[in-house]
Amino acid sequence: MGDLELLLPGEAEVLVRGLRSFPLREMGSEGWNQQHENLEKLNMQAILDATISQGEPIQELLVTHGKVPTLVEELIAVEMWKQKVFPVLCRVEDFKPQNTFPIYMVVHHEASIINLLETVFFHKEVCESAEDTVLDLVDYCHRKLTLLVARSGCGGPPEGEGSQDSNPMQELQKQAELMEFEIALKALSVLRYITDCVDRQWSVSQPPQLAHLKRMQCLYPVRWFLSPGKLQQFEGSRWHTVAPSEQQKLSKLDGQVWIALYNLLLSPEAQARYCLTSFAKGQLLKLRAFLTDTLLDQLPNLAHLQSFLAHLALTETQPPKKDLVLEQIPEIWERLERENRGKWQAIAKHQLQHVFSPSEQDLRLQAQRWAETYRLDVLEAVAPERPRCAYCSAEASKRCSRCQNEWYCCRECQVKHWEKHGKTCVLAAQGDRAK
């Protein structure tokens, strides 16, 4: 990895050992910001390690120090903050911060964690180390994919272009909505990796976690939303127009859905413990229409799924068993909601006064830390594709000469984007000079 090594092994271990859960009230605080920066470094290092295929030290450290449950709890905590506290902040009319980046960091925190989990959950030992919180993670993924399927009925994700009259908080809301779509796709990948461990999870967990399968049922309709029949396909963090000749080509997202379905439906443990109702049978048999020869050529293992569905069509459904069933339920969301119920306004007020109204000097110090955390050489190395224009999203080749953070395809786009980018640009440049 050479010059691109972001963390030394000793540094990575210190950062992993220091991971902890924060109360909702402390999100955005100085200590929380330090952990967010640490997570970003671990995230980028994990991607670099996976890219060059030279060991997985971050994954090993998370397992060794038992920090995967901590990441799951932090993920759900920031999800709750975005649903319960962030809307309150956006409704405060007289709240006009100098810079919305401190709030954006909290909004972005969820994407950072789910991206790290997507990277490390490829390894089955990480899923096992999540212990009981894996059920909370499955429940989280279920919520995200339910929103994804709901959006498919509205024509896809929210549009990226906003009104020129929007204030900074309204723009931040739009960015958060766009981010939700990508978070849901990351959740899909995490859920697929969990399905790789279905047999192992049941073998080490008592009582059997039947709720896993019930929540993973949400995968079925996602296939229709991500099907190649769409003229546009989301991949590499953006939408691509798919040529007619390429519409039958399996995308990575399609592959994740099919592999997850394969794992769930053909797992001996799942078949033994999950009772298929007539309704579930009818929904599953709809999959046969998508198991085309072209798809089977790309994923030959799906021939086993095709045979299973053919057998299912001739099988009578079994009535639900009347035996006593013990089922574990996710508890992190309910616990956090119980602890903070009725306090959302108070939390928002506290954060407005003490967290999201920093002085200009504090903003400069934060800008300096952000510049140190988001090293451009590392960001370019982990980027899935060439940079895109910050204004029109076209492929970009020119970078802002002052802050070196934003990319543009032409001078005209840079001028049009300056009203939004200006304050952040000045702060970032001042942070670089402060070094």
Side-chain angles (χ1 to χ4, degrees):
M1 187 154 47
D3 294 336
L4 285 181
E5 188 166 34
L6 186 65
L7 295 170
L8 297 174
E11 293 176 316
E13 182 169 10
V14 170
L15 297 188
V16 169
R17 291 178 63 181
L19 294 176
R20 66 183 182 91
S21 299
F22 281 82
L24 268 64
R25 181 184 175 90
E26 294 185 23
M27 287 192 176
S29 65
E30 184 176 353
W32 183 94
N33 268 311
Q34 184 60 61
Q35 176 159 295
H36 174 74
E37 292 165 15
N38 294 343
L39 272 171
E40 288 287 16
K41 292 176 181 178
L42 292 170
N43 196 2
M44 289 187 283
Q45 186 65 59
I47 295 173
L48 284 172
D49 293 338
T51 301
I52 63 172
S53 302
Q54 290 187 5
E56 305 287 347
I58 303 303
Q59 159 252 322
E60 293 171 3
L61 289 170
L62 290 171
V63 172
T64 300
H65 296 288
K67 293 299 182 179
V68 176
T70 302
L71 290 178
V72 174
E73 181 156 351
E74 271 291 277
L75 179 69
I76 295 172
V78 74
E79 179 198 18
M80 179 169 289
W81 182 91
K82 287 171 66 176
Q83 288 192 24
K84 305 291 187 179
V85 181
F86 182 54
V88 178
L89 294 173
C90 294
R91 288 196 297 266
V92 179
E93 295 182 1
D94 58 347
F95 177 55
K96 298 179 180 179
Q98 297 181 45
N99 195 298
T100 57
F101 210 70
I103 306 177
Y104 177 82
M105 284 291 97
V106 183
V107 173
H108 184 262
H109 192 59
E110 183 181 7
S112 299
I113 298 176
I114 194 65
N115 192 74
L116 177 58
L117 291 177
E118 181 193 30
T119 303
V120 301
F121 257 71
F122 175 80
H123 306 275
K124 293 184 178 181
E125 59 268 26
V126 176
C127 184
E128 292 177 353
S129 72
E131 300 177 342
D132 290 342
T133 61
V134 72
L135 185 55
D136 294 275
L137 184 56
V138 169
D139 201 51
Y140 167 87
C141 294
H142 173 264
R143 290 192 294 272
K144 294 301 174 182
L145 295 184
T146 299
L147 291 174
L148 182 64
V149 174
R151 279 181 179 164
S152 71
C154 302
E159 295 295 328
E161 291 297 326
S163 170
Q164 297 295 327
D165 299 328
S166 300
N167 62 44
M169 290 301 293
Q170 290 172 333
E171 287 295 327
L172 188 58
Q173 280 182 289
K174 292 171 185 174
Q175 292 174 12
E177 290 175 6
L178 287 169
M179 201 181 300
E180 276 295 309
F181 182 75
E182 294 196 43
I183 288 172
L185 299 183
K186 298 289 184 183
L188 170 60
S189 294
V190 171
L191 197 53
R192 177 253 144 148
Y193 293 137
I194 293 175
T195 65
D196 289 340
C197 304
V198 167
D199 291 348
R200 199 175 298 193
Q201 283 293 324
W202 267 315
S203 65
V204 300
S205 176
Q206 295 296 332
Q209 296 182 4
L210 298 179
H212 279 57
L213 271 183
K214 294 178 182 177
R215 288 174 174 81
M216 290 180 183
Q217 284 276 9
C218 67
L219 282 171
Y220 304 153
V222 172
R223 171 69 185 105
W224 278 266
F225 176 54
L226 299 174
S227 67
K230 296 287 185 181
L231 294 178
Q232 285 194 319
Q233 189 169 312
F234 191 86
E235 196 165 358
S237 300
R238 68 187 184 94
W239 287 95
H240 300 262
T241 300
V242 182
S245 60
E246 296 290 319
Q247 288 183 16
Q248 293 299 318
K249 185 178 179 180
L250 193 69
S251 72
K252 292 181 181 178
L253 292 171
D254 280 319
Q256 296 284 45
V257 175
W258 281 116
I259 293 171
L261 288 169
Y262 180 91
N263 290 340
L264 289 173
L265 296 175
L266 273 69
S267 161
E269 289 287 339
Q271 291 182 13
R273 297 176 185 271
Y274 187 69
C275 182
L276 281 173
T277 63
S278 297
F279 175 77
K281 174 183 174 180
Q283 294 298 307
L284 289 175
L285 291 180
K286 292 179 181 179
L287 293 172
R288 292 189 297 176
F290 296 95
L291 289 167
T292 62
D293 291 340
T294 304
L295 177 61
L296 294 178
D297 287 341
Q298 297 174 78
L299 277 179
N301 282 350
L302 292 184
H304 299 296
L305 178 60
Q306 189 178 48
S307 299
F308 167 81
L309 293 174
H311 176 74
L312 179 64
L314 302 175
T315 304
E316 293 293 330
T317 57
Q318 298 292 325
K321 297 180 181 179
K322 297 182 179 180
D323 298 337
L324 176 65
V325 176
L326 298 177
E327 180 180 317
Q328 288 178 281
I329 60 173
E331 61 88 24
I332 295 178
W333 176 275
E334 291 187 4
R335 173 170 54 79
L336 291 174
E337 190 171 39
R338 185 171 60 252
E339 292 172 354
N340 296 281
R341 188 176 294 121
K343 301 177 183 177
W344 313 119
Q345 295 280 351
I347 293 172
K349 183 177 179 181
H350 169 80
Q351 293 180 329
L352 284 176
Q353 295 176 349
H354 303 286
V355 178
F356 299 134
S357 299
S359 65
E360 187 171 341
Q361 182 180 1
D362 290 336
L363 281 174
R364 289 179 180 176
L365 291 174
Q366 287 183 348
Q368 180 179 345
R369 294 208 310 269
W370 296 332
E372 293 171 351
T373 300
Y374 300 104
R375 280 175 42 190
L376 294 176
D377 56 342
V378 177
L379 288 176
E380 291 173 5
V382 302
E385 57 181 18
R386 293 192 55 139
R388 317 298 298 183
C389 177
Y391 184 78
C392 71
S393 298
E395 191 171 290
S397 59
K398 306 177 187 300
R399 181 184 284 171
C400 176
S401 60
R402 174 179 288 183
C403 70
Q404 296 290 307
N405 290 338
E406 291 286 15
W407 289 82
Y408 299 97
C409 62
C410 61
R411 174 67 177 169
E412 183 180 356
C413 283
Q414 184 178 14
V415 172
K416 291 178 180 178
H417 192 248
W418 177 250
E419 184 178 354
K420 180 186 295 186
H421 173 57
K423 291 182 180 179
T424 304
C425 179
V426 172
L427 284 169
Q430 288 173 342
D432 286 339
R433 287 197 295 270
K435 292 193 273 185

